[in-house]
Amino acid sequence: PLRYTSKYSESVRREAEKNKSQWKTMGPAKVAVPSPNDFLQKRSKEPKPAPKKKEEEGEKLLPLSVPRRTYQPVIRIKKNFIYKNAVAVIRGEPKKPQHFCVDTRQGDKYLLEPSGLFPKYTRKKNYGVIPKYVTRRNEEMKRKEEEYQASVLEQLQEKAMKTLSEEERTNVLKALKKNWEEINRVFLSLPVLTDTTYKKMHKQELELKLQQLEHDIAAIENHKTVYIAN
């Protein structure tokens, strides 16, 4: 049997050839080669701003102002808020807990302090009054302190300093000089060779006594008024 042939096949073929372009399958016939000078530049596709208006006739621009010597620019210091907040948290006082009262199963709560159920000691009759035992203890401590001061003053008066008279000062000075002469005579009579430990110690002891006597004699001679303790 003959194959089925549509009666619209010729019209479809003509329509396809009519709408078919030359470059749909084989590419464009002739394409102009782009020039190497026409390359895409940066920000070339962005909209360009309007050109600035030139100085109008009769109007002149103000001259640039030079800052004075006393001008100090504002320097903005960059703050470290993380460190600042950490220091504030460390040095800050902790929040004091508040007393609540829960009266329902759902967790409804209210503050106790303004409700009147929380006891306030500032409303007591004896609030701010010093207890009697503290007053007695303070009085006893004060009395003991006064007795101690009186005893110290009495001891100081007993051990008060007195002034040496001129006659006593002269006698003491003579006695010191006589003692120095005796020790110096003993020191000069020592042997030249100190080859034993006893001789060395004896010589050092005499030297220390002479130095002490010389110091005492110089102190009494340089000071006309001498005080001694009873």
Side-chain angles (χ1 to χ4, degrees):
L2 295 175
R3 188 177 60 181
Y4 173 77
T5 304
S6 175
K7 61 180 180 179
Y8 300 105
S9 59
E10 292 295 333
S11 61
V12 170
R13 190 179 296 109
R14 286 196 300 269
E15 188 71 22
E17 290 177 357
K18 181 180 178 181
N19 296 331
K20 186 176 181 180
S21 302
Q22 296 179 358
W23 57 83
K24 274 195 174 183
T25 56
M26 299 300 295
K30 291 182 180 181
V31 178
V33 179
S35 175
N37 297 327
D38 298 337
F39 57 88
L40 183 63
Q41 297 181 358
K42 186 179 180 181
R43 302 182 185 277
S44 60
K45 293 187 177 183
E46 294 182 0
K48 297 182 179 180
K52 296 181 180 180
K53 295 183 179 180
K54 293 184 179 181
E55 187 180 1
E56 297 182 0
E57 296 181 1
E59 295 182 0
K60 294 182 179 180
L61 296 176
L62 296 175
L64 296 175
S65 60
V66 180
R68 298 181 180 180
R69 291 185 178 181
T70 58
Y71 173 73
Q72 295 181 355
V74 179
I75 301 174
R76 295 186 178 181
I77 302 173
K78 189 176 181 181
K79 295 182 179 180
N80 190 352
F81 292 99
I82 298 175
Y83 177 76
K84 185 178 179 181
N85 294 339
V87 171
V89 171
I90 293 170
R91 296 183 178 178
E93 295 182 358
K95 289 186 177 180
K96 295 182 179 179
Q98 294 181 338
H99 300 275
F100 291 97
C101 178
V102 180
D103 57 352
T104 60
R105 292 184 301 171
Q106 285 76 18
D108 297 335
K109 57 184 179 180
Y110 57 88
L111 292 173
L112 277 177
E113 189 172 351
S115 65
L117 300 176
F118 190 76
K120 288 188 177 181
Y121 298 101
T122 55
R123 298 178 182 176
K124 295 173 66 176
K125 294 181 179 180
N126 58 350
Y127 179 77
V129 180
I130 300 176
K132 294 182 180 180
Y133 73 93
V134 177
T135 307
R136 290 195 302 269
R137 185 178 61 185
N138 293 338
E139 292 178 354
E140 186 177 356
M141 291 175 62
K142 186 177 180 181
R143 182 176 53 79
K144 289 183 179 179
E145 183 68 23
E146 291 176 354
E147 291 178 356
Y148 174 75
Q149 293 293 341
S151 63
V152 171
L153 184 60
E154 185 178 356
Q155 291 178 4
L156 289 176
Q157 290 178 355
E158 291 177 356
K159 298 178 181 179
M161 308 294 286
K162 73 174 184 177
T163 308
L164 280 179
S165 62
E166 187 64 26
E167 184 179 358
E168 291 175 345
R169 176 176 171 274
T170 306
N171 294 334
V172 171
L173 190 59
K174 288 180 180 179
L176 289 174
K177 288 183 178 179
K178 185 178 180 181
N179 195 7
W180 183 85
E181 289 176 358
E182 293 177 358
I183 296 176
N184 188 34
R185 181 174 53 79
V186 177
F187 179 77
L188 294 176
S189 63
L190 290 175
V192 178
L193 184 62
T194 54
D195 52 352
T196 61
T197 305
Y198 172 75
K199 292 180 180 180
K200 292 180 181 179
M201 293 177 62
H202 187 49
K203 183 179 180 181
Q204 291 177 359
E205 185 179 357
L206 293 176
E207 288 177 350
L208 291 175
K209 287 182 179 180
L210 288 173
Q211 290 178 2
Q212 184 63 37
L213 288 170
E214 289 173 358
H215 177 268
D216 296 341
I217 292 170
I220 295 177
E221 287 180 346
N222 294 332
H223 301 87
K224 293 183 179 181
T225 307
V226 180
Y227 297 94
I228 60 172
N230 288 333

